[in-house]
Amino acid sequence: MTPTGTAPHTAAGSLVEDLPPLRDCLAAAGIAADKGLGQHFLLDLNICRKIVRLAGEVTDGLVIEVGPGPGGLTRSLIEAGARVVVIEKDRRFLPLLEAVAVRSPGRLTIIEGDALAVDEAAIAAGIAPGQAIRLVSNLPYNVGTPLLVKWLTGPLRPTAMTLMFQKEVARRIVAAAGDDDYGRLAVLTQALANARIVMDLPARAFTPPPKVDSAVVSITPLADPPAARIVAALQTLTQAAFGQRRKMLRSSLRIHGGADLCLSAGIDPNARAETIPVTGFLALAEAWLAPRV
Ligand code: SAM
């Protein structure tokens, strides 16, 4: 793996195809997975390419990838013609990522840092108006949910997200009212986006294999999302309602207005949180914010 820095590249692809296999790159760099950083690698480029295909048209703007690790997804994104910014906390991967960068001049920017603290909106500020901002990542399991909430509710306003989560988290994102997995994450995500599972991956697809299976979720933020104050109210009310999910709303929402709040939102005060659809929670949030007479 010798960075040349002078390699030519084609419009849609690049010379990343010439890089050694990911497994050899990891071995040559002497890198062993750090489970504390949720490191479970996708070393099969065919799987990486499939995930990139699921992300749709990636050449129409900027792709942000969190946790590129050895760079399998990154290589596939570059192959597909994307312009990519990667954010990686573990500096051991930087030489492997730089080898991809020199083979795709001007198309890969590497940021060393903690994605929870990075201001992605500032990263995306340079792109032309109207261009897409996509997130494509095999997320570290320990920060996947806070990152999703940050991207859904923060200033980035991505066009689309194609994200790998532990299967159990993926189910909690797409669950419908009445499902066992239905809770705060489903309500918040579905109030702000359309979400569906587009690929299941068994634990054995990763190196080293995690204890659980994974799934890729396609999340498309709504063009016209609820206002920030509604989203903030939704977060407060769902925390209270699902914090005591077996209680009736009249009781779990008591400090927020209880039965009166439910009735003004057209919701049965005797219902439990797990049976209330996203539209019902939005109605509760609207009613909670409405001036009382
Ligand atoms: N994308 C690679 C792949 O599919 O083979 C690696 C995925 S691995 C599940 C998660 C990656 O996220 C690791 O490279 C890890 O070092 C990185 N990571 C963990 N926590 C992070 C954080 N807070 N910010 C940025 N990267 C992080």
Side-chain angles (χ1 to χ4, degrees):
M1 197 170 59
T2 312
T4 65
T6 55
H9 71 285
T10 58
S14 70
L15 293 184
V16 294
E17 293 88 343
D18 297 341
L19 285 164
L22 292 158
R23 199 176 291 281
D24 295 357
C25 294
L26 282 170
I31 298 175
D34 177 345
K35 289 192 183 164
L37 284 174
Q39 290 178 357
H40 300 282
F41 307 125
L42 282 172
L43 302 182
D44 181 342
L45 286 173
N46 288 321
I47 295 178
C48 296
R49 289 182 186 120
K50 190 167 176 199
I51 294 169
V52 170
R53 282 198 296 278
L54 289 168
E57 177 53 73
V58 292
T59 59
D60 60 350
L62 185 69
V63 175
I64 301 176
E65 183 196 355
V66 162
L73 264 181
T74 319
R75 290 188 191 189
S76 303
L77 285 163
I78 294 289
E79 268 179 23
R83 191 153 65 85
V84 186
V85 175
V86 294
I87 305 164
E88 173 58 61
K89 194 171 180 183
D90 186 342
R91 63 185 345 263
R92 295 179 303 164
F93 295 116
L94 300 187
L96 279 65
L97 297 167
E98 274 150 18
V100 179
V102 297
R103 282 165 173 78
S104 50
R107 291 178 43 214
L108 176 60
T109 304
I110 303 163
I111 297 176
E112 182 194 350
D114 183 340
L116 287 171
V118 164
D119 179 358
E120 298 93 348
I123 294 171
I127 74 163
Q131 289 215 297
I133 301 164
R134 294 174 195 280
L135 284 146
V136 180
S137 301
N138 171 16
L139 291 174
Y141 71 91
N142 47 345
V143 290
T145 304
L147 284 173
L148 174 61
V149 172
K150 180 186 178 200
W151 296 332
L152 281 170
T153 60
L156 179 64
R157 308 289 308 272
T159 313
M161 305 187 245
T162 307
L163 305 173
M164 175 96 68
F165 295 93
Q166 293 175 73
K167 199 165 194 169
E168 173 244 330
V169 176
R171 286 202 185 116
R172 282 172 39 218
I173 292 170
V174 303
D179 291 351
D180 288 347
D181 297 310
Y182 187 64
R184 289 190 75 196
L185 191 57
V187 175
L188 183 67
T189 306
Q190 295 169 38
L192 293 163
N194 292 309
R196 64 195 173 98
I197 292 177
V198 289
M199 182 183 185
D200 288 311
L201 266 181
R204 66 173 184 280
F206 301 85
T207 306
K211 290 201 175 73
V212 292
D213 294 341
S214 294
V216 178
V217 188
S218 169
I219 300 165
T220 309
L222 303 179
D224 189 15
R229 63 192 198 101
I230 301 281
V231 177
L234 204 56
Q235 286 178 296
T236 302
L237 295 174
T238 53
Q239 184 171 20
F242 286 103
Q244 304 181 76
R245 60 189 294 141
R246 298 285 162 204
K247 288 199 174 169
M248 292 179 205
L249 292 172
R250 65 188 318 135
S251 161
S252 60
L253 293 182
R254 178 166 289 137
I255 62 164
H256 299 297
D260 288 346
L261 172 71
C262 294
L263 290 171
S264 59
I267 302 288
D268 177 2
N270 296 329
R272 294 180 172 77
E274 58 208 19
T275 66
I276 305 298
V278 176
T279 49
F281 278 105
L282 284 167
L284 283 166
E286 299 261 11
W288 191 57
L289 290 170
R292 311 257 146 75
V293 283

